[in-house]
Amino acid sequence: MLKKMSFISKTMLFFNVVVAITTLMAYLLPFLAPKWFPFLSVLSLFLPFFLVVNLLFFTYWLIQFKKYIFVSGLVLLLGITFINKFYNLKQTVLPKSENEFTIMSYNVRLFNKFNWYKKANIPTKIAEFVSEKNPDILCVQEYSDLEKTKFSNYKYQHIFKEGNNIIVGNAIFSKYKIIDKGVINFPNSTNNAVYADIIKGNDTLRIYSMHLQSIKISTNIEEEEIQKMNESKTKYIFRKISGAFTKQQEQSLLLKQHFSECKYKKIICGDMNNSAFSFVYRTIKGSMQDAFESNGDGFGKTYNFKYYPARIDYIFADKNIQIKSFETLNDFYNSDHFPLISRLEIK
């Protein structure tokens, strides 16, 4: 049968099989600890790309009326549960009620402290933006004190910062009373998570603001550094990503252990620095709801990466909390991340 195929069809089938096998391997990554398969874990970042390529192969064979349609067809069928983690067709916005509340999560990148963006008055713009959206609870990652971003209209606050040259941390601001709070320090890392127990009506909510290990890859890697390490640029990047994912594994397990002991309804917000197809995502989300999956729209891009709709920031909520709406605010370009906001109601 293959002898009768044209050279183009043989070539297409070969690459189709390679992509299909790679995609199937990527499907397994949420169940494999990165520390055992560090280089392989990097594939989780590219799963949306693999899904799109499989769809293109599926379309190609469909137009050709070839039986090889089953190669990508089976892969897409097996991965149907992954699709809405990458793209949501519609948003279901539920009506407002008196008992609901809003929560925002935002990695502010130190309020542009080192002028990565040349736009003027970014701290003021962020403060004005938060004031305009007026969330009841605000979770901030990469927080750094600036007079213009004190968020002083929030009576209750939990701010944790540390560092020598760069003072950075996480924070939770609330209109509701905070009765307890704390910090989860991650070993051998400047990243951490903070939590606060908040009184909302007759309920107590446990809120987490997390920031897992950053990949820390610059788009302009110094040539001297590359030569010193005697590695190609691609291998260097893979080593950086896989090393960060290994640390994230340890951090996610620490966070899971902490919130597993919590008796309150919980919401986890923040920057995971990893995709929704990863071991880290699966570990932290567990049986909770991903607000984007429940009520998101489109790609849900949370990181300002030019060529790829990366979703690495999340809002998770227990199943006894109703997610009434969710939005990624992609029109607000004042950090390398976009803010997330969700309306919630305790059932």
Side-chain angles (χ1 to χ4, degrees):
M1 183 64 70
L2 287 176
K3 292 182 179 179
K4 297 180 181 180
M5 293 177 65
S6 67
F7 174 77
I8 293 177
S9 292
K10 287 181 180 179
T11 303
M12 292 291 284
L13 180 59
F14 171 77
F15 285 109
N16 191 174
V17 171
V18 170
V19 171
I21 293 173
T22 306
T23 306
L24 291 173
M25 291 172 60
Y27 285 169
L28 298 175
L29 293 177
F31 305 94
L32 302 177
K35 71 176 181 179
W36 301 118
F37 305 93
F39 268 60
L40 190 62
S41 65
V42 178
L43 289 179
S44 65
L45 293 175
F46 303 101
L47 182 53
F49 171 76
F50 296 146
L51 291 172
V52 170
V53 175
N54 274 286
L55 181 60
L56 293 175
F57 276 121
F58 180 86
T59 305
Y60 174 80
W61 295 121
L62 180 64
I63 294 172
Q64 298 288 320
F65 292 104
K66 299 289 187 180
K67 64 181 181 180
Y68 306 112
I69 192 174
F70 80 89
V71 178
S72 282
L74 181 60
V75 170
L76 291 170
L77 185 63
L78 291 173
I80 197 165
T81 58
F82 289 98
I83 293 174
N84 71 329
K85 296 182 185 299
F86 170 58
Y87 185 86
N88 240 341
L89 291 174
K90 63 179 181 178
Q91 184 179 33
T92 305
V93 180
L94 300 176
K96 294 185 177 182
S97 66
E98 292 182 0
N99 296 322
E100 69 182 28
F101 61 98
T102 54
I103 188 166
M104 177 184 285
S105 181
Y106 191 14
N107 182 324
V108 296
R109 203 187 190 192
L110 297 170
F111 301 110
N112 200 42
K113 185 174 183 177
F114 296 101
N115 296 311
W116 294 288
Y117 290 95
K118 301 306 178 184
K119 296 164 65 175
N121 301 320
I122 283 182
T124 300
K125 289 177 181 177
I126 290 176
E128 290 174 347
F129 174 80
V130 171
S131 179
E132 175 192 342
K133 295 300 179 180
N134 195 29
D136 297 305
I137 301 169
L138 171 66
C139 295
V140 180
Q141 301 87 46
E142 292 196 40
Y143 179 84
S144 180
D145 266 340
L146 288 173
E147 286 300 323
K148 296 177 181 178
T149 51
K150 292 290 188 181
F151 305 122
S152 54
N153 55 321
Y154 288 90
K155 183 177 180 181
Y156 305 101
Q157 306 182 358
H158 175 31
I159 300 170
F160 176 79
K161 300 168 297 171
E162 62 180 356
N164 296 319
N165 298 321
I166 302 175
I167 309 299
V168 63
N170 293 311
I172 298 172
F173 300 86
S174 174
K175 294 180 181 179
Y176 310 119
K177 185 177 181 180
I178 294 176
I179 59 171
D180 194 15
K181 56 190 177 183
V183 179
I184 305 169
N185 282 307
F186 299 141
N188 304 313
S189 175
T190 56
N191 295 74
N192 54 68
V194 298
Y195 67 91
D197 293 337
I198 294 173
I199 299 294
K200 174 69 174 75
N202 296 322
D203 289 282
T204 302
L205 292 172
R206 166 70 59 84
I207 309 295
Y208 289 89
S209 180
M210 64 174 175
H211 185 206
L212 300 194
Q213 188 67 34
S214 302
I215 295 174
K216 296 181 180 177
I217 291 179
S218 171
T219 55
N220 296 310
I221 299 174
E222 293 291 338
E223 194 63 32
E224 292 181 2
E225 185 179 2
I226 298 298
Q227 292 175 355
K228 183 178 179 181
M229 297 183 71
N230 195 27
E231 295 177 315
S232 70
K233 190 172 181 178
T234 301
K235 187 177 180 182
Y236 172 81
I237 291 173
F238 265 71
R239 285 176 64 88
K240 291 280 283 186
I241 295 175
S242 59
F245 284 3
T246 301
K247 278 195 171 185
Q248 289 173 8
Q249 174 190 337
E250 180 183 15
Q251 294 166 0
S252 66
L253 290 170
L254 283 173
L255 183 58
K256 180 180 180 180
Q257 180 183 3
H258 193 276
F259 68 66
S260 295
E261 298 170 359
C262 175
K263 61 183 179 180
Y264 304 128
K265 301 176 179 70
K266 61 184 178 292
I267 300 170
I268 303 175
C269 300
D271 176 9
M272 193 183 291
N273 276 308
N274 212 322
S275 75
F277 313 103
S278 63
F279 176 90
V280 173
Y281 173 92
R282 180 172 174 268
T283 298
I284 294 177
K285 177 181 178 291
S287 62
M288 290 189 292
Q289 305 168 88
D290 181 334
F292 170 78
E293 281 190 72
S294 299
N295 287 85
D297 189 20
F299 288 103
K301 174 181 177 179
T302 71
Y303 184 76
N304 192 16
F305 189 73
K306 188 174 182 180
Y307 302 106
Y308 185 75
R311 186 167 79 94
I312 61 175
D313 301 81
Y314 305 90
I315 295 177
F316 300 123
D318 273 338
K319 289 186 176 179
N320 47 16
I321 299 174
Q322 185 178 29
I323 299 172
K324 305 185 74 174
S325 72
F326 173 85
E327 187 178 2
T328 307
L329 303 162
N330 296 130
D331 294 331
F332 191 67
Y333 292 92
N334 287 283
S335 173
D336 53 346
H337 293 252
F338 298 108
L340 317 177
I341 190 165
S342 183
R343 280 194 302 120
L344 308 171
E345 184 171 357
I346 302 171
K347 294 180 180 178

